[in-house]
Amino acid sequence: MHKKTALWAALAAVLMGAQGAHAAVSAEEAAALKGNLTPLGGEKAANKDGSIPAWTGAQGVATSGAKVGDIPVQPFPGEKRVVQITAQNMAQYADKLSEGTQALLKKYPDSFRVDVYPTHRTAVAPQYVYDNTAKNATQCQTKDDGKSLQGCYGGIPFPIPKAGIEVVWNHLLRVENEATDVTNFKNIVLTADGSRTLATQNDQSNQYPYYYKDGSADKWSGEYFLMRFATTAPPFKAGESLVFRDSIDVAQSRQAWQYLVGQRRVRRAPTVAYDTPDFVASGANYFDEVMGLMGHIDRFDWKLVGKKEMYVPYNANEVVTAKLDEAYGQHHLNPDKVRWELHRVWEVEATVAGGKRHAVAKRKFYFDEDSWMVLLMDGYDSEGKLWRTTQITPFVLPSTPMLALKPAHIFNLQANTMSTAQSLNDGVFQDSCRVDRVFRPPVSAVVLPAPARG
């Protein structure tokens, strides 16, 4: 009898492994979220020399003073930089710089630099997110070889990750408001000759059903990101619109619909994903490079390399809220406005999976230990040469409270271009409570009235 039980247990383990399921951590491991780990899973303690302080849960952010929407312009007024890294002294700090950051220092030695300021661990969240994260630690699981999830809701799914794909899911399900509205966000392209071009200007509404306060894992549909935007400029693109819905189920993946002004029709848009050139940014980046990494993750194998200390953009409120002319230089952001800090990050390496294809053969992602969002990404071509690098400039949003991810700045090092996806400069960002309206997928090929052109 015992032999049969053991045999069935072994068979169940084999089947579980074949399906790629990852078990949640034990209650004993999860207890660390109330001990030496932050409620979202970061190390609570400071680093050895104190240059990364202990996480206390108190943001210490200045909430008075100038704001753009709900974003304070100067969260830490009066602070001075502690390190300035240039092409001339970068070798001294190479162990804390990504390969992409080093490439930019070499490529633009007269203009690009890294100004490092005191570290502030501002990644906090409402209490209900902490509570849900603790539940997720023992209940949330991956399935379909890690490409789908089950048992998760309302918090970081894997605060104590055991695999690279779990860290990636943490980014995709990072802390968000229930809903956000952005008026006049822009996609900006810096061309090889140093000029700045407006690819599109858009109004956007997002909903994050995964973070609805009144929801639960049992009631949730599995759709975690609902997005709708309408293009308002330039005139020849005004009136275009895109709706998509992202799910945790690999079988459902992304559902997308596009309204084309010339056709006056809504069409299904299955290619609005992965390495399709992003038409919202005039094709200067890929769709899955928006927000550092966006959309489904089934085309890659994900390797958890480990944790390290790195200089990363952080608490970058000043560059996010600056006027366009102040935020941008010729080939990159204005370094006078970009705040870098020393933080611990998880390094995850992505390589194209067998039987799959992607234009970027290999990627290295660096995820913030406190917020789990991507901060830096380096992309390599099929010959292993560095081709692309992305910088996220996250900003602190005390009203939620949270560290928010929006602008991603994607460099094509071979074409000498930079694309900013979803710039907030000269725009308006507001967080909001969940509205009663939900996004309904439009019917394919429904004829709509022609919109007014801007």
Side-chain angles (χ1 to χ4, degrees), residues 92 106 205:
Q92 180 181 347
K106 294 175 182 176
S205 294

Side-chain angles (χ1 to χ4, degrees), residues 156 197 257 289 291 322 355 426 431 454:
I156 299 301
T197 301
W257 296 262
E289 291 177 316
M291 293 187 282
D426 294 345
D431 63 326

Side-chain angles (χ1 to χ4, degrees), residues 225-267:
F225 181 31
L226 313 181
M227 187 279 296
R228 176 180 58 213
F229 78 81
T231 299
T232 58
F236 74 91
K237 290 183 72 68
E240 290 185 3
S241 186
L242 181 66
V243 171
F244 67 70
R245 312 165 71 103
D246 281 348
S247 170
I248 61 168
D249 186 351
V250 66
Q252 186 171 340
S253 192
R254 170 167 292 172
Q255 300 181 74
W257 296 262
Q258 183 183 9
Y259 176 69
L260 300 173
V261 176
Q263 297 181 10
R264 297 179 60 197
R265 290 179 181 273
V266 175
R267 299 286 191 186

Side-chain angles (χ1 to χ4, degrees), residues 17-41:
Q19 295 171 0
H22 294 273
V25 302
S26 67
E28 290 74 19
E29 286 181 282
L33 297 172
K34 296 182 179 179
N36 64 328
L37 299 180
T38 74
L40 299 181

Side-chain angles (χ1 to χ4, degrees), residues 132-427:
N132 286 332
T133 298
K135 294 176 183 177
N136 286 342
T138 58
Q139 297 176 8
C140 189
Q141 295 181 333
T142 64
K143 59 179 183 177
D144 301 324
D145 292 322
K147 300 178 185 69
S148 303
L149 296 184
Q150 60 186 11
C152 318
Y153 189 78
I156 299 301
F158 303 104
I160 307 174
K162 306 294 185 181
I165 203 163
E166 294 179 354
V167 175
V168 174
W169 276 116
N170 287 349
H171 161 77
L172 294 175
L173 298 179
R174 62 192 175 274
V175 179
E176 291 284 2
N177 286 293
E178 292 185 305
T180 57
D181 292 308
V182 184
T183 302
N184 293 337
F185 90 77
K186 300 169 182 66
N187 281 60
I188 304 292
V189 177
L190 302 184
T191 60
D193 64 4
S195 61
R196 187 180 75 226
T197 301
L198 175 67
T200 57
Q201 180 172 297
N202 309 273
D203 294 337
Q204 179 172 318
S205 294
N206 302 327
Q207 291 191 36
Y208 304 92
Y210 180 75
Y211 279 102
Y212 289 173
K213 294 185 182 72
D214 57 356
S216 66
D218 294 336
K219 293 190 292 183
W220 177 45
S221 70
E223 291 182 321
Y224 64 90
F225 181 31
L226 313 181
M227 187 279 296
R228 176 180 58 213
F229 78 81
T231 299
T232 58
F236 74 91
K237 290 183 72 68
E240 290 185 3
S241 186
L242 181 66
V243 171
F244 67 70
R245 312 165 71 103
D246 281 348
S247 170
I248 61 168
D249 186 351
V250 66
Q252 186 171 340
S253 192
R254 170 167 292 172
Q255 300 181 74
W257 296 262
Q258 183 183 9
Y259 176 69
L260 300 173
V261 176
Q263 297 181 10
R264 297 179 60 197
R265 290 179 181 273
V266 175
R267 299 286 191 186
R268 289 295 295 263
T271 61
V272 179
Y274 302 113
D275 56 353
T276 298
D278 182 357
F279 54 76
V280 186
S282 298
N285 56 265
Y286 296 131
F287 272 108
D288 66 0
E289 291 177 316
V290 177
M291 293 187 282
L293 177 64
M294 182 180 73
H296 222 76
I297 54 179
D298 57 313
R299 292 193 180 181
F300 288 89
D301 292 326
W302 303 89
K303 176 185 176 183
L304 184 59
V305 178
K307 190 181 286 190
K308 61 191 299 185
E309 296 179 6
M310 290 184 66
Y311 292 123
V312 293
Y314 214 95
N315 296 314
N317 292 47
E318 188 170 4
V319 72
V320 168
T321 58
K323 296 294 183 182
L324 278 169
D325 288 342
E326 298 174 350
Y328 288 87
Q330 285 191 312
H331 299 286
H332 48 74
L333 294 173
N334 178 0
D336 292 337
K337 297 290 185 180
V338 183
R339 181 188 181 100
W340 296 69
E341 297 180 0
L342 182 67
H343 285 263
R344 288 184 290 244
V345 297
W346 289 95
E347 181 180 355
V348 176
E349 189 174 284
T351 54
V352 176
K356 301 288 186 179
R357 60 155 303 279
H358 196 284
V360 187
K362 178 181 175 181
R363 288 166 159 173
K364 291 183 180 180
F365 291 89
Y366 300 96
F367 298 87
D368 176 29
E369 71 160 339
D370 289 332
S371 66
W372 297 102
M373 66 177 62
V374 173
L375 298 176
L376 297 172
M377 187 282 294
D378 292 339
Y380 301 80
D381 63 19
S382 58
E383 297 179 353
K385 296 179 181 178
L386 182 65
W387 172 23
R388 317 173 74 80
T389 189
T390 297
Q391 298 172 353
I392 304 298
T393 46
F395 57 92
V396 59
L397 192 63
S399 58
T400 298
M402 62 183 286
L403 187 72
L405 183 157
K406 181 55 65 176
H409 313 280
I410 303 110
F411 294 85
N412 184 329
L413 298 172
Q414 297 175 7
N416 300 321
T417 63
M418 186 193 88
S419 172
T420 295
Q422 302 185 348
S423 165
L424 303 181
N425 302 104
D426 294 345

